[in-house]
Amino acid sequence: MSKKVAEQLVELLVQAGIKRIYAVTGDSLNELNDAVRRNKLIKWVHVRHEEAGAYAAAAEAELNGLACCAGSSGPGHVHLINGLYDAHRSNVAVLAIASTCATVEFGSSYFQETNIIKLFDDCSHYNQIAATPAQLPRMAQAAIQHAIQRKGVAILGLPGDVSAMDAVENISSDKNYFSKALIRPADEDIAAMANLINRYQKISIYCGIGAADAHDEVVQLAEMIKAPVGYSFRGKMGIQYDNPYEVGMTGLLGLPSAYHSMHESDLIILLGTDFPYVPFMPTDKKIIQVDLQPERLGRRAKLDLGLHGDIKTTLMALLPLLNTKKDESFLKAQLHVYSKVKEHLQVYVTDKGKQHAIHPEAVAACLDKLATKDAIFTVDTGMCCVWGARYIQATGKRHMLGSFSHGSMANAMPHAIGAALACPERQVVAMCGDGGISMLLGDLATIKQYKLPIKIIVFNNRSLGMVKLEMEVSGLPDSETDMENPDFTLIAQAMGIKGITIDNPDDLESRLQEAFDYDGPVLVNVFTDPNALAMPPKVELKMIKGMTLSMSRLMLGGKFQEVLDTVKSGYKHMGELLD
């Protein structure tokens, strides 16, 4: 019997190293599903929502290099969109198979017909429909090649009728090529960078995910020029560990120390980063930016020098041209500021809060303490990002995944699904907000079905915490941010997952240890302080005015207790304002 197109596609996926497809099966995907069933080298992962499948694929791609998800005609396509935007903006290689209605129905407003070219155009590097069997293998190879080399999403449209047709031998390559290149700036650009660095004494370095493979070179650079090293959220796990010169993050989730270092220096070196955003960048400093994606140069700041190159290769060429600086006064001053900032961070760890209002900082610090040295953390957008950024420490082996560029809610739990399947030998900890986990709650069933030993920690503050804070610092009373949550512990138990509730700070470490010791998935419902504040790295007068105004409006609205709770919760931050 001849081979079907769906079988041919599955063989191409296996040959490219894809081990699973995250999808909800049905109608136009059924032939592909059956082909996967009959191939022992690939697995169909039945998620409950295509968005969760796209997130899971994004996590697997970030950890292992390439992953695949799929969505069937119409609604299945649309459900993929949010997770694919997240993957594309995170620059991870995801192949999305978008099965469509039969080719004969194209353009007829057929049931569930979707124009995938228009739909996915803004979140993909490749987006084509294989309308004939001869097109399928060439398009599949090209789609995967685009995803892995351009680092983003590729869409392969697969009509249901085509998938059932007889396969046609590919006239071009069946293989994919994962080759890498070393890219560095021209000699004159390297020399110009060295001259600038040699000219200035007060220099700060700021690294992003693009510098993750250049940890040792970054540390060597910092030691030579006596520079503090800051980093973005995505750059943290690759730069923070074994780095005596690190001063933390800046940006919305960052710390005053990194912000201070950048604004006190004369020269800033941005390595493999497209952050921080403009409001956190000084405007009166010399700035050098090096990036593997040259279109990003100058996107956030006015540059004195913009260079195209991968960070490791560029620094290896640069280091021999630098003069070793002797004066350590600027570096020591920044490290002193950082030490004070870290003291402030421990205030809410030492004082764990009270019944039904556990400090989320203490929860995050305890997770950092109990988790393995090679754990994978996933964090929901919002307050969980803040606590993860500030309290989860890098070891050189840990990963932290989140929707850091797209900024979507509900990513942590489905990211954890992909992480657990991609790296079954590693511990996976999902730091979920109550708002985030509520969005895709059904995929707890996926975790149970595949027996994934994920530790799901729900920071249950009964509100959309980050949105509430945003409204308050803008001078607005928070409105419709409160959440009347179900009992997440009981929901987990109904799904067949062990559930633990923590509402007493004295039980925090022992109950979290119980969760980590359990051989299987666990959901821990932690009742955290709904009025916990996440202070930005730079507190401006207008923020204080905004908070004062919003507190006044709340009091006039009769919410005296909420105002009192917020003031009590935030009083310890006064030290950050006064230092």
Side-chain angles (χ1 to χ4, degrees), residues 180-196:
K180 296 180 180 179
L182 302 179
I183 300 175
R184 48 152 285 190
D187 288 345
E188 57 267 29
D189 287 339
I190 292 284
M193 183 177 181
N195 289 335
L196 260 181

Side-chain angles (χ1 to χ4, degrees), residues 57 101 110 135 145 159 183 208-209 317 350 401 489 533:
C101 62
Y110 189 70
Q135 290 177 308
Q145 205 63 40
I183 300 175
I209 186 67
T350 305
L401 310 178
T489 305
L533 294 176

Side-chain angles (χ1 to χ4, degrees), residues 96-417:
I97 300 170
S99 66
T100 72
C101 62
T103 52
V104 70
E105 299 293 352
F106 282 7
S108 68
S109 295
Y110 189 70
F111 177 66
Q112 294 186 330
E113 182 182 1
T114 307
N115 187 330
I116 69 167
I117 303 300
K118 289 183 178 180
L119 184 66
F120 294 115
D121 184 62
D122 196 40
C123 63
S124 63
H125 288 309
Y126 185 92
N127 183 14
Q128 297 292 336
I129 303 174
T132 69
Q135 290 177 308
L136 183 281
R138 300 187 74 187
M139 286 185 174
Q141 194 274 348
I144 295 170
Q145 205 63 40
H146 275 75
I148 60 179
Q149 295 298 349
R150 297 191 64 183
K151 298 186 183 303
V153 170
I155 307 294
L156 177 62
L158 179 63
D161 59 331
V162 172
S163 66
M165 293 178 183
D166 290 341
V168 175
E169 184 178 352
N170 194 1
I171 62 173
S172 57
S173 178
D174 284 331
K175 295 181 180 179
N176 287 104
Y177 305 94
F178 295 77
S179 60
K180 296 180 180 179
L182 302 179
I183 300 175
R184 48 152 285 190
D187 288 345
E188 57 267 29
D189 287 339
I190 292 284
M193 183 177 181
N195 289 335
L196 260 181
I197 293 172
N198 287 334
R199 189 187 312 166
Y200 289 96
Q201 182 57 45
K202 295 194 296 182
I203 304 173
S204 63
I205 301 169
Y206 191 77
C207 299
I209 186 67
D213 292 335
H215 171 275
D216 293 350
E217 288 76 15
V218 168
V219 172
Q220 186 179 350
L221 173 64
E223 194 281 328
M224 285 188 70
I225 65 177
K226 306 300 183 285
V229 179
Y231 40 79
S232 68
F233 200 166
R234 291 191 74 196
K236 175 175 179 169
M237 291 292 128
I239 297 297
Q240 182 191 41
Y241 73 97
D242 294 340
N243 186 348
Y245 311 105
E246 64 103 359
V247 291
M249 293 168 50
T250 186
L252 184 63
L253 309 182
L255 301 172
S257 47
Y259 181 95
H260 185 269
S261 293
M262 294 177 71
H263 283 74
E264 290 296 311
S265 60
D266 296 323
L267 173 66
I268 300 168
I269 305 172
L270 303 174
L271 299 176
T273 183
D274 200 33
F275 290 89
Y277 285 127
V278 172
F280 298 93
M281 289 291 292
T283 56
D284 58 346
K285 313 296 179 184
K286 295 285 185 182
I287 301 177
I288 300 171
Q289 184 180 359
V290 185
D291 206 292
L292 189 57
Q293 295 179 275
E295 68 274 13
R296 293 179 171 183
L297 296 175
R299 193 155 71 171
R300 309 294 181 201
K302 297 183 185 299
L303 305 181
D304 293 272
L305 196 59
L307 305 182
H308 176 209
D310 70 78
I311 305 308
K312 188 180 183 74
T313 307
T314 300
L315 293 186
M316 289 175 66
L318 172 71
L319 290 169
L321 305 180
L322 297 179
N323 300 327
T324 300
K325 300 182 187 297
K326 304 298 182 185
D327 187 350
E328 298 182 335
S329 57
F330 176 70
L331 173 61
K332 287 184 176 179
Q334 306 315 310
L335 292 175
H336 176 72
V337 172
Y338 187 38
S339 68
K340 292 298 182 183
V341 169
K342 287 189 286 188
E343 287 180 16
H344 286 304
L345 288 177
Q346 292 305 305
V347 170
Y348 287 92
V349 175
T350 305
D351 175 4
K352 294 181 174 61
K354 60 183 181 180
Q355 188 86 17
H356 228 59
I358 300 170
H359 289 154
E361 299 92 333
V363 180
C366 194
L367 293 176
D368 176 69
K369 175 183 176 182
L370 297 178
T372 58
K373 295 302 180 184
D374 66 345
I376 301 168
F377 293 88
T378 66
V379 290
D380 263 339
T381 299
M383 288 298 201
C384 285
C385 268
V386 178
W387 314 134
R390 297 182 181 181
Y391 293 93
I392 303 301
Q393 302 302 306
T395 64
K397 297 180 180 180
R398 285 177 171 177
H399 280 87
M400 186 176 293
L401 310 178
S403 185
F404 300 135
S405 296
H406 187 46
S408 176
M409 289 175 65
N411 63 279
M413 187 259 285
H415 270 162
I417 292 173

